[in-house]
């Protein structure tokens, strides 16, 4: 899941300052983790401890406030009787990557991704976005080709993946929905040649840059099995110690080697 977190950090400075190119500095003085990383860590800890997703998301959200949470989620964090609010936003997809690395069958991935999404994002599109992201990760880490990933995701979720970043980029605008984010993030991975190029392509689309790069980065990590050391080192400099401890525990549990 470090691939998702690295994408979030790199994309953090571009969310409200889109750059429609790939020739940018990966890290800037104000690069930082956002709600995408916070909730990704919360998902990982939920899986490690067998805890409740809603409880863990509220706990992390309260402990790490002001990290860019959407308005409804920011209120939900503090609701002692919190209920799902039928969201189709991309929050369900940005936090789901640990599920794709943790689960070991297609059915298990789909079931767990739905479980992680529906505590807040119980709209069919919110669930679908989480499932598609987690399944793309699972398929990538299981050795499937890009064409196989494209075909399976298209058949199961009816996303249009027969586009390229070059075709998407000119007219793509800010979009916080799963249906307007997840397909584009997957395409950025499909068009890439390695982890870094995947992140650069994701950010070059514009839109909700940190979330697109977070989703793309998680799939790229699973597929390429390698993230440049200079990216990992910079991410480790930025992350809190407790995040790094959860990542290490999760990697040991899931036998991920970077």
């Amino acid at each position: 899941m470090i691939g998702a977190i690295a994408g979030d950090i790199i994309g953090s400075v571009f969310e409200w300052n889109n750059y429609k190119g790939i020739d940018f500095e990966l890290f800037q003085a104000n690069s930082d983790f956002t709600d995408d990383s916070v909730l990704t860590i919360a998902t990982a800890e939920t899986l490690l401890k067998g805890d409740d997703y809603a409880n863990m998301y509220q706990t992390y959200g309260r402990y790490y406030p002001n990290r860019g949470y959407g308005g409804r989620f920011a209120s939900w964090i503090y609701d002692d009787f919190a209920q799902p609010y039928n969201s189709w936003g991309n929050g369900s997809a940005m936090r789901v990557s640990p599920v794709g690395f943790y689960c070991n069958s297609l059915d298990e991935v789909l079931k767990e991704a739905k479980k992680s999404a529906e505590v807040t994002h119980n709209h069919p599109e919110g669930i679908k976005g989480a499932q598609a992201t987690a399944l793309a990760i699972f398929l990538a880490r299981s050795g499937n080709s890009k064409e196989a990933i494209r075909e399976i995701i298209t058949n199961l979720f009816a996303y249009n993946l027969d586009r390229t970043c070059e075709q998407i980029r000119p007219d793509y605008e800010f979009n916080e929905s799963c249906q307007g984010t997840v397909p584009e993030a997957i395409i950025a991975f499909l068009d890439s040649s390695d982890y870094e190029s995947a992140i650069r392509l994701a950010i070059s689309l514009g839109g909700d840059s940190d979330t697109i790069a977070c989703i793309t980065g998680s799939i790229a990590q699973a597929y390429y099995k390698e993230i440049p050391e200079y990216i990992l080192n910079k991410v480790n400099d930025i992350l809190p110690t407790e995040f790094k401890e959860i990542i290490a525990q999760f990697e040991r549990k899931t036998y991920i080697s970077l």
Side-chain angles (χ1 to χ4, degrees):
M1 65 175 168
I2 191 68
I5 292 170
D8 172 46
I9 291 172
I10 294 169
S12 63
V13 298
F14 297 105
E15 181 177 9
W16 304 113
N17 185 29
N18 288 167
Y19 183 72
K20 298 271 187 169
I22 60 173
D23 57 333
F24 55 85
E25 292 292 329
L26 288 179
F27 296 97
Q28 301 180 22
N30 56 339
S31 296
D32 204 356
F33 67 91
T34 77
D35 57 329
D36 300 43
S37 293
V38 173
L39 297 177
T40 295
I41 293 292
T43 298
E45 188 166 358
T46 301
L47 291 167
L48 288 171
K49 293 184 175 180
D51 206 330
D52 174 71
Y53 283 108
N55 175 63
M56 197 66 77
Y57 293 155
Q58 286 192 314
T59 299
Y60 269 84
R62 293 177 185 184
Y63 195 77
Y64 292 95
N66 305 315
R67 286 286 169 177
Y69 305 104
R72 294 176 75 183
F73 186 85
S75 297
W76 179 89
I77 291 169
Y78 296 99
D79 187 345
D80 291 336
F81 303 97
Q83 297 296 316
Y85 46 87
N86 201 38
S87 176
W88 61 83
N90 56 27
S92 61
M94 75 185 190
R95 70 195 187 202
V96 78
S97 63
V99 171
F101 287 105
Y102 188 88
C103 297
N104 290 309
S105 73
L106 186 150
D107 288 344
E108 187 183 357
V109 168
L110 296 181
K111 180 180 178 180
E112 195 66 32
K114 180 177 185 289
K115 186 177 175 183
S116 74
E118 64 187 2
V119 296
T120 51
H121 294 57
N122 58 329
H123 187 282
E125 290 292 346
I127 293 170
K128 176 178 168 180
Q131 289 181 321
T133 300
L135 184 58
I137 293 166
F138 172 75
L139 294 170
R141 77 175 175 90
S142 300
N144 287 272
S145 69
K146 288 185 178 181
E147 285 311 307
I149 295 169
R150 188 195 309 271
E151 181 179 356
I152 293 168
I153 297 298
T154 298
N155 289 341
L156 283 177
F157 302 104
Y159 285 150
N160 178 11
L161 302 182
D162 290 325
R163 298 171 289 156
T164 67
C165 289
E166 290 293 330
Q167 293 169 330
I168 295 167
R169 189 179 296 115
D171 300 318
Y172 187 68
E173 297 179 348
F174 193 89
N175 192 317
E176 289 184 307
S177 71
C178 274
Q179 55 270 40
T181 303
V182 174
E184 287 73 16
I186 295 173
I187 289 167
F189 154 69
L190 293 171
D191 279 3
S192 68
S193 58
D194 56 21
Y195 178 84
E196 182 176 330
S197 74
I199 296 300
R200 290 185 180 277
L201 285 169
I203 290 170
S204 78
L205 296 178
D208 193 355
S209 297
D210 59 332
T211 294
I212 296 174
C214 177
I215 296 169
T216 299
S218 64
I219 307 169
Q221 177 195 357
Y223 184 82
Y224 295 114
K225 312 271 193 303
E226 185 175 32
I227 298 175
E229 188 172 353
Y230 59 87
I231 292 179
L232 293 175
N233 289 341
K234 187 63 177 178
V235 168
N236 280 326
D237 288 342
I238 292 170
L239 291 180
T241 299
E242 54 268 29
F243 280 21
K244 289 183 280 189
E245 290 173 350
I246 293 296
I247 291 168
Q249 291 174 32
F250 190 82
E251 289 178 351
R252 287 193 297 270
K253 178 74 173 180
T254 53
Y255 305 100
I256 298 169
S257 177
L258 291 179

